[in-house]
Amino acid sequence: MLIDRYNRRIDYLRISVTDRCNLRCIYCMPECGIIHKPHKELLSFEEIIEIVAVMAELGIDKIRLTGGEPLVRKDLVNLINSLSKIKRIKDISMTTNGILLKRYAKELKQAGLMRLNISLDSLRQDRYKIITRQGRLEDVLEGIRGSFKVGFSPIKINILLLEDIDECEISQFLRLTNENPINLRFLEFMPVNSFYKSEKLFSSQMVMDIARRFQEVEETSVYGNGPAKVYKFKNALGTFGIISPMSHKFCDTCNRLRLTSDGLLRLCLHSDLKVNLREPLRRGLSQEEIIRLIKLAVEIKPKQHFLDKETILKSQEFSMCQIGG
């Protein structure tokens, strides 16, 4: 097992398969875009599989594929099929913006993908287009419907609490859970970069205040809820969760590592601490040496983030599309 110096068991790996995306979300990417990593610097599928196999030997049993947008990487279905065959991996999920799901949902399910997290920050086409700079809301909604049709259920929908979201829209999201087996997750905005700033943080407490005003709320739980506190309305088919990295840190229970598309093992989303796994792998280091490197990396995993005290400005690469959500 991987245990860090704060006695946290690490059993979850998020893998960014690409730094490319078919959207340009205002909080994720500068308006001018980013300089993409050269293809030769990206991990091949074979390298990703090799790293996951080693991680599985160390106790990692849950993996999530992220991006950028993972579905823009060619032949992703083949990667999922291979990962699903690795012993000790119990759960494979993916975070997506949903734009391409209507095309790939059936193949993803057949390949062994178990769960979906879909990012959807607005139910209004005008606002959705402003946030994504180019997205069509209907594409995502079609993707969600198609995912239900092929057997993904429940589906998680992630909503970032940007400052211009209002009570009406939050209520609209919440009411979806009454008749749909979806798990909404409202995420507090985190000031992780210099190109997007929010003057006002819409807190998770505001969501709870809105929910309690129009229906009876009870606490519950769902599989894979991670740091979310989960609730439901009485007799509702779905749930809604609150993730509060700013107002209520959950670093003491952090169980995850992140592997970037160019092979860097990041110990915390909000830290520049990282270990290069790509180069040792390509130099032909043995599995034992890679295991030793991973264990040494886990020993320097930070105790907590400090986003409540400062915004990360120093790192030019700190774009969510490059690190993975």
Side-chain angles (χ1 to χ4, degrees), residues 18 25 98 101 105 150 203 244 274 284 306:
T18 180
C25 294
L101 271 180
V150 301
S203 77
S244 313
K274 50 190 177 286
F306 295 98

Side-chain angles (χ1 to χ4, degrees), residues 13-14 51 55 257-260 263-268 273-277 293-294 297-298:
L13 178 66
R14 291 194 174 186
I51 290 172
M55 291 285 200
L257 300 172
R258 281 179 168 81
L259 182 66
T260 65
L264 302 181
L265 189 66
R266 295 191 73 107
L267 291 313
C268 172
L273 286 173
K274 50 190 177 286
V275 174
N276 192 323
L277 294 184
L293 189 59
I294 293 169
V298 169

Side-chain angles (χ1 to χ4, degrees), residues 33-44:
I34 63 167
I35 299 174
H36 295 293
K37 301 288 183 182
H39 181 73
K40 64 181 180 180
E41 291 185 13
L42 300 183
L43 290 175
S44 67

Side-chain angles (χ1 to χ4, degrees), residues 282-295:
R282 292 182 179 178
R283 291 201 310 267
L285 257 63
S286 67
Q287 187 178 87
E288 291 74 19
E289 291 170 314
I290 297 293
I291 286 174
R292 180 175 173 273
L293 189 59
I294 293 169
K295 286 182 175 179

